[in-house]
Each structure stands twice: as structure tokens, then as C-alpha cells.
Amino acid sequence: MTDRTQILDTINAQIEPFNKKGVALTEATTFQGDLEWDSLTVMDFVAAIEDEFDIIITMNMQAEIENIGQLADAVAKLKG
């Protein structure tokens, strides 16, 4: 199992409590469009991801991350 696969698995596990609509998760799943998250949900989720991976995701990075795949890439880069 690659690091990126582990990151994706962890991200998907972190999404579950926030996935009120039961959306099937793929790397292309968008947080705003597919999951329909509001800004408060996004902030809670980002905090959970930061705690899980022991990283800090800047506001500028958050603005560029629209889907699960992009988040996995950002986490991998920050952890690297």
C-alpha cells in the first residue's frame, strides 16, 4: 500500500462523519459541489485532517483544494 493510498483511506474515514448524504467517495468528489458542505463544515473537517496528519493547511492552500484527490496531494506534500 502506497503512502498516497493510506492518505486517501484516512481522508475518506475522516469524511464519513461529515458525509450526511452518503455520497460515494472518489478522488474527484468535491467538498462543496458533491458533499454540499458549508464553510463551518469545511473548517471542522480541515481541523480534523490537520490533527490526524499533524500538519497545517493554510487558507491559501484550502482555497485551491476542491476535491479529495487534491487534498491527498496537499497532505502528501505537507508530510513530505
Side-chain angles (χ1 to χ4, degrees):
M1 185 180 282
T2 66
D3 284 346
R4 191 165 191 283
T5 302
Q6 289 173 323
I7 290 169
L8 281 168
D9 288 346
T10 303
I11 289 170
N12 288 342
Q14 289 288 334
I15 287 173
E16 280 311 314
F18 299 99
N19 190 0
K20 305 293 185 214
K21 297 184 143 227
V23 173
L25 302 177
T26 70
E27 287 196 41
T29 301
T30 61
F31 301 109
Q32 194 167 17
D34 297 325
L35 296 171
E36 298 181 13
W37 288 358
D38 59 19
S39 58
L40 183 60
T41 303
V42 169
M43 294 306 292
D44 287 344
F45 175 70
V46 168
I49 290 296
E50 288 177 332
D51 289 347
E52 178 69 32
F53 291 104
D54 194 27
I55 57 173
I56 300 292
I57 300 173
T58 66
M59 294 301 275
N60 287 345
M61 285 184 78
Q62 287 179 40
E64 296 174 8
I65 297 171
E66 296 178 0
N67 63 40
I68 293 172
Q70 290 172 331
L71 178 58
D73 292 339
V75 169
K77 191 165 117 182
L78 289 167
K79 286 187 66 65

